[in-house]
Structures are given as C-alpha cells and as structure tokens.
Amino acid sequence: MTPIQMTFSTMFLLGLMGLTFHRTHLLSALLCLETLMLSLFLATSLWALQLSTINIACVPMLLLAFSACEASSGLALVVATAGTHGSDHMQNLNLLQC
Amino acid sequence: MSYLVCVLLFGLMVGSVGVASNPSPYFAAMGLVMVSGVGCGVLICFGGSFLPLVFFLIYLGGMMVVFAFSAALSAEPYPYGWGNRSVKMYVAAYVLGVGCAWKVLLGKWSGFWGGILDESGELLVLRGDMMGVAAMHDVGGWMLVLGGLGLLLTLFVVLELVRGVSRGGLRTV
C-alpha cells in the first residue's frame, strides 16, 4: 500500500475508533465524525488529482456540502442535549437504559 | 519534495490520533484544525489549487468556527488535555496500533509513490481540479440543485430540532 493510501485509511479508522470508544462529551464524538469526513475528502481529492480524472473533483465539493448538513444536525442535537440535560455528557443520555 | 509530503502525512497522523483519543472538545477542535491545515498542504503538494482553498474557506472558516463556539456548551472547569492519564492511555494505544499497522502493511510498498510533479509540465492558470468543479456547475447542474435543496432542508431540520415549547424537538422545555 502506498503511504498516502495508508494515511487516509488510517485516519478513517482512527476517527471510527474515536467515535466508537467515546468518553465523556457528545461534541468530541462529533469531532471524530468530522475526522471521518476529512479523510474522505482527502481520499476523493487525491483520487481526482493523482489519476487526472478531473471530473471526480466535484465529488469532494458535494461531500463537503452534505457533511456540513450532517455537522449542523449534530450540533443542533448537542444544543438540544445541553438544553434538556444541562450538559452534553454522554452518561446523561440514559432514558432507554433498563 | 517527497520529504515534505512525508512530514505532512506524519502531521495528519499525529492530528488524527489527537482527535480520536477524545480529549476535551477544546483540544480536539484544535487537533482538527491542524489536521485540515496539513491536509490542505498535502493536496497542494499534489497539484491541487482550488480544492485546498475551498477546504480552508468552507471547512475551517465555516464549520470549524461553529464547532469552536459550540465547544462552549461543553465547558468544564478542568478540561482534559492530552497530558491527562486517561487520554494518554488512548493516545498510547492508538500510536501503538498505527505503528504496528504501518510496520506490517508498509514494509515494502509498491513502486507507485504518487506523482509529486504536475502532469502538464507547463504553467497553467486553470488547473485540473478547478476544471472539475467547473464541470459540476456545467454538466452536473441538477446535482447542485439537489445539494442546495438538501442544505435548505437541513436548515429547517436544525430549526425544528432546537425549538422547544411542545411542538419541536425539545419536549420538556
């Protein structure tokens, strides 16, 4: 595997693991989600640049637009959590716990 | 030039480990700013001009700013940095994992290291990635319309999620 492919694949896996093994804050889990999006942006941009398929350069732009949608929805959820529970700690989200 | 790319890729790894180890969101946002800056550097080294610019403006200047001031929602008197014991454990685990993966999978990499040089070999004003984005406006106009409608829908989704008073997302407030 080339170092560049290894880098963005490892970035994706690191973001996924950071999202899975979340600790305290909902916002830091959202930041790991942003790392996932960043690695996908890098991967698609490097695809367009290295293989000279320049029509694929529209994919990172659209990915950025939809990632902005997702980030804003996640932040709205953080605001809602801070409004009802007083903080965005993950252990407060336990209504469905038996 | 290839050493510069190696340094930038190392910076990407360091920043992603810093975000994935889940410190307090203040520090994780700083790690993400570093990762996006270094990622723009990597794209520039491979001949991109418009995509790194878009990334800096929209991602750093738009989304990261919103994340940074939303980090005030997770304020605590003693935020956990990377020197904290529990965060250091995660950092050590991720560095060990990444190191093992790189040692195993990158022992001998294939010959194609990636063209650091540009393919055109001459001075151009309109680079490849800018032409690709121009194609999105030209041939992919319907995708742009769809994206715009999706963003408009997200605006209303966000407004409904945050609204209280019994008809919105917050029922108890």
Side-chain angles (χ1 to χ4, degrees), chain B:
Chain B
M1 187 65 174
S2 59
Y3 291 127
L4 177 66
V5 177
C6 279
V7 166
L8 292 175
L9 294 180
F10 182 69
L12 274 180
M13 284 287 100
V14 163
S16 332
V17 164
V19 175
S21 52
N22 282 334
S24 179
Y26 300 118
F27 304 112
M30 212 164 60
L32 207 52
V33 165
M34 177 194 158
V35 169
S36 45
V38 170
C40 286
V42 170
L43 289 180
I44 289 169
C45 285
F46 282 97
S49 59
F50 187 68
L51 282 171
L53 187 68
V54 158
F55 197 53
F56 249 119
L57 283 176
I58 309 302
Y59 193 82
L60 269 187
M63 287 162 59
M64 270 304 118
V65 162
V66 175
F67 268 104
F69 67 68
S70 299
L73 286 169
S74 65
E76 49 194 8
Y78 300 105
Y80 285 1
W82 293 293
N84 193 19
R85 191 173 305 145
S86 51
V87 181
K88 244 194 299 204
M89 253 172 36
Y90 277 93
V91 169
Y94 288 142
V95 164
L96 204 63
V98 168
C100 289
W102 276 63
K103 194 82 172 66
V104 166
L105 289 172
L106 216 56
K108 42 176 172 47
W109 62 69
S110 58
F112 180 65
W113 161 221
I116 314 285
L117 312 168
D118 299 325
E119 282 86 16
S120 60
E122 55 197 40
L123 291 175
L124 293 171
V125 172
L126 302 173
R127 310 281 309 215
D129 54 348
M130 207 180 331
M131 290 290 98
V133 174
M136 180 176 74
H137 293 273
D138 178 18
V139 188
W142 285 112
M143 198 61 202
L144 267 188
V145 169
L146 262 181
L149 286 177
L151 285 167
L152 186 66
L153 181 67
T154 308
L155 174 67
F156 292 123
V157 161
V158 164
L159 284 175
E160 283 299 313
L161 272 176
V162 183
R163 192 164 68 117
V165 197
S166 85
R167 290 273 299 270
L170 302 178
R171 294 306 176 97
T172 63
V173 177

Side-chain angles (χ1 to χ4, degrees), chain A residues 29-49:
Chain A
L30 285 183
L31 286 168
C32 291
L33 206 58
E34 289 304 306
T35 315
L36 288 176
M37 289 299 128
L38 209 153
S39 71
L40 288 175
F41 183 90
L42 272 180
T44 46
S45 303
L46 286 170
W47 175 8
L49 288 168

